[in-house]
Amino acid sequence: MKHIDIFDLIARKSEFVGKSVVVCGWVRTSRDSKTVAFLEVNDGTTLKHLQIVLDKAVIKNVDKVLPLCTAVRVSGKCVVAANNPESVEVNAESVVVLGECPPEYPIQKKPHSLEYLRGLPHLRVRTNTFNAMFRLRSKLSEAIHRYFLDRHYTYVHTPIITGSDCEGAGEIFRVSSLGYSNKYKTEKEYNDADFFGKTAGLTVSAQLEGEVAAMALGKIYTFGPTFRAENSNTARHAAEFWQIEPEVAFAEIDDIIEIATEMIKSIIGTVLKECKEEIAFFEKFYEKDLTKKLQAVVDSEFARVDYSDAINILKKSKKQFVYPVEWGCDLQTEHERYLTDEVYKKPVFVVNYPKKLKSFYMKQNADGKTVAATDLLVPGVGEIIGCSEREADYHKLLQAIKDRGMKQQDYENYLDLRRFGSVPHSGFGLGLERMLMYLTGIGNIRDTALYPRAKGELR
Ligand code: 4AD
Ligand code: MG
């Protein structure tokens, strides 16, 4: 008899009550008494565990199946749960041990800290927290695809190996097929001999290629891994993260802000509707009033503040910041947190940053000092979206490239987009893991990815 997913058994319980079923899974908890024992079994298809009742007169290998994380295949009768008429359980007729689990299994019943579990990336996914996280991550990804595809965006796959640095921050991981050798006398000799005959790296953003696609397909988005050799060892920076980057032709800064707002509301709405159990779990263990917070984001307007006004707000605050606040300074986490957690208490777009702080591709405002760029900051996490209108004027863009000492020849394709039928266009990048932090209340980005990558951390 084929086994049934625990998800299906619970979702379609009326079909199964009174019938023989086979379920497989891992023992998450067990309780033993004189004549009966109980197992809570999870097969990963749902956050919920299924209770298995073992009548010791019937099941003879009870001792073998009690240890945590033993893998079992249970045959028995599905019945209405004795202590909950809304739920079902299985009265076992036989339990086959598929895989034993000895007592040195490092995740025992006591609650383990997330730090401890980070040391066990291959096993932590078996805990409720990570079960809920990866289920949510999957649903969130689906919701994002649905949002764009329903609105006729084209999903574009951009290269992961690139020869340009989109963000200009020099945080590129090199890609090379050559190992260490003293054969090469100069860097040029080494690069010439390398796979591409030039320096190559892992993408820090799909935007530049995304713009190429948008100049033909109009509305596109990318959804893929992004790599940054960022030296910041913080709870919200990863060396590898996933970014969703829509690029929209004929959209100006206000249009893209509207799109970003609508997308965030839409994906949160989907998650609230379709991940009720997971959100309830995170609310219980990680963030009080999480559902209320998320529902409020869906229901209310986002705030918007000009960078210059934000600087004034920070200056007037009575708060002692570690990093001094002056017009022209980059907003540090403490500044962002003050704006989101104490002033606005909801998502806020900070708009029109000084051009010196931002990348070369952003549209230069008429004041000569700022660019049409915005970051969306949210309480508890800080920046989740980096967004801008792109500079569509060939000469201004070329000047920005030169001003930053970048090599024009590396950006000729990109400049061509401004030579051949240039149009206003805008886009943004949403960090998937940062979004997950916001959706779950999980405070460290390392707990949103299966195998997190950060400086000095490679498991
Ligand atoms: O603000 P960023 O650097 O913007 C770009 O890369 C633009 N090219 C996007 C675009 O306009 N198409 O990064 C965008 C987002 C950030 O807001 C943040 O959510 C996430 O990517 N992000 C990171 N997430 C985790 N770890 C890091 N080191 C991150 N750096 C950026
Ligand atoms: Mg940014």
Side-chain angles (χ1 to χ4, degrees):
M1 190 176 174
K2 200 187 156 326
H3 81 275
I4 178 168
D5 289 348
I6 293 176
F7 173 85
D8 287 325
L9 186 70
I10 293 172
R12 300 178 2 228
K13 52 185 179 268
S14 54
E15 278 175 48
F16 294 102
V17 170
K19 304 227 169 81
S20 291
V21 294
V22 178
V23 291
C24 297
W26 293 270
V27 174
R28 285 300 190 76
T29 62
S30 53
R31 269 185 300 134
D32 195 15
S33 70
K34 213 155 168 211
T35 55
V36 279
F38 300 93
L39 306 178
E40 296 269 332
V41 168
N42 186 285
D43 69 354
T45 60
T46 164
L47 199 54
K48 287 200 180 91
H49 303 336
L50 178 69
Q51 174 149 288
I52 311 290
V53 184
L54 309 177
D55 178 345
K56 288 186 167 176
V58 179
I59 306 296
K60 296 298 177 197
N61 60 344
V62 168
D63 288 349
K64 278 265 181 260
V65 304
L66 291 177
L68 292 195
C69 216
T70 301
V72 293
R73 179 185 170 91
V74 180
S75 308
K77 185 153 285 163
C78 178
V79 296
V80 173
N83 57 0
N84 178 5
E86 297 293 299
S87 179
V88 286
E89 59 193 22
V90 171
N91 289 335
E93 281 148 17
S94 84
V95 183
V96 176
V97 173
L98 299 174
E100 288 181 10
C101 191
E104 61 265 27
Y105 176 61
I107 303 179
Q108 291 298 325
K109 211 174 155 190
K110 65 173 185 232
H112 295 291
S113 69
L114 290 174
E115 287 79 3
Y116 171 79
L117 293 172
R118 254 170 246 151
L120 301 165
H122 59 307
L123 298 176
R124 68 175 182 171
V125 65
R126 302 179 187 192
T127 62
N128 291 336
T129 295
F130 290 91
N131 184 320
M133 178 58 79
F134 294 117
R135 201 172 296 292
L136 195 68
R137 187 172 170 130
S138 169
K139 184 56 79 177
L140 175 64
S141 304
E142 184 194 329
I144 291 167
H145 280 297
R146 248 194 275 159
Y147 173 83
F148 288 113
L149 294 173
D150 284 354
R151 288 159 183 79
H152 312 295
Y153 284 68
T154 300
Y155 171 34
V156 174
H157 299 115
T158 49
I160 286 176
I161 301 176
T162 63
S164 57
D165 177 3
C166 173
E167 293 307 302
E171 292 164 340
I172 296 185
F173 283 103
R174 288 286 308 269
V175 172
S176 168
S177 61
L178 295 180
Y180 168 77
S181 164
N182 57 7
K183 200 160 84 188
Y184 312 107
K185 299 281 172 294
T186 62
E187 195 178 349
K188 181 168 184 318
E189 248 180 59
Y190 171 76
N191 289 332
D192 286 349
D194 208 346
F195 192 86
F196 295 105
K198 61 195 279 195
T199 57
L202 296 177
T203 185
V204 298
S205 162
Q207 179 194 323
L208 302 189
E209 295 86 0
E211 284 186 55
V212 168
M215 289 303 104
L217 297 161
K219 303 198 295 188
I220 67 98
Y221 74 102
T222 69
F223 191 148
T226 305
F227 308 87
R228 295 196 189 170
E230 246 168 321
N231 221 339
S232 34
N233 183 19
T234 77
R236 47 186 212 135
H237 286 91
E240 178 176 328
F241 59 97
W242 283 60
Q243 218 185 146
I244 297 91
E245 299 190 72
E247 193 66 36
V248 186
F250 318 111
E252 295 173 25
I253 185 74
D254 288 343
D255 304 316
I256 199 73
I257 287 177
E258 205 176 304
I259 292 168
T261 307
E262 194 195 25
M263 182 208 61
I264 292 288
K265 289 182 179 216
S266 163
I267 61 181
I268 291 181
T270 304
V271 162
L272 281 173
K273 228 183 284 152
E274 300 182 18
C275 295
K276 286 201 171 76
E277 270 178 35
E278 288 77 10
I279 294 294
F281 174 85
F282 287 110
E283 175 158 316
K284 184 164 172 206
F285 293 103
Y286 292 97
E287 184 172 332
K288 208 171 143 261
D289 296 331
L290 179 63
T291 314
K292 224 162 95 191
K293 171 187 95 173
L294 295 174
Q295 193 59 51
V297 173
V298 174
D299 295 337
S300 64
E301 295 292 309
F302 290 8
R304 177 176 168 148
V305 63
D306 207 85
Y307 166 88
S308 303
D309 296 330
I311 291 295
N312 287 333
I313 291 170
L314 292 167
K315 277 174 127 173
K316 281 192 200 129
S317 80
K318 302 272 178 291
K319 207 111 184 153
Q320 282 296 315
F321 295 115
V322 177
Y323 293 89
V325 180
E326 267 320 314
W327 195 96
C329 76
D330 211 351
L331 295 185
Q332 303 293 331
T333 306
E334 56 175 349
H335 307 138
E336 292 181 352
R337 293 296 285 267
Y338 180 78
L339 293 172
T340 52
D341 298 13
E342 295 184 43
V343 180
Y344 295 101
K345 299 187 167 67
K346 61 178 178 176
V348 53
F349 283 102
V350 179
V351 195
N352 298 323
Y353 280 86
K355 87 175 168 196
K356 284 212 176 68
L357 293 179
K358 294 287 185 186
S359 272
F360 73 99
Y361 54 73
M362 295 177 178
K363 184 182 163 68
Q364 296 161 42
N365 288 330
D367 62 12
K369 294 192 305 189
T370 62
V371 283
T374 178
D375 285 349
L376 178 62
L377 314 180
V378 297
V381 180
E383 177 193 339
I384 60 166
I385 280 181
C387 172
S388 63
E389 182 170 343
R390 320 309 190 185
E391 182 54 74
D393 179 275
Y394 177 86
H395 298 287
K396 286 187 184 163
L397 182 63
L398 179 59
Q399 194 56 50
I401 287 174
K402 288 183 175 162
D403 287 348
R404 285 168 174 76
M406 297 157 66
K407 287 197 209 120
Q408 182 179 340
Q409 79 249 31
D410 291 346
Y411 296 89
E412 285 298 354
N413 278 192
Y414 191 66
L415 283 160
D416 270 356
L417 302 181
R418 280 68 180 170
R419 291 173 64 209
F420 307 130
S422 187
V423 299
H425 61 288
S426 304
F428 65 83
L430 167 69
L432 184 72
E433 290 78 6
R434 297 250 179 108
M435 188 68 203
L436 283 167
M437 290 171 75
Y438 187 55
L439 285 174
T440 60
I442 285 277
N444 195 310
I445 198 162
R446 289 165 183 75
D447 301 324
T448 63
L450 195 58
Y451 274 88
R453 267 76 178 95
K455 183 150 172 83
E457 296 173 34
L458 185 69
R459 294 283 306 227

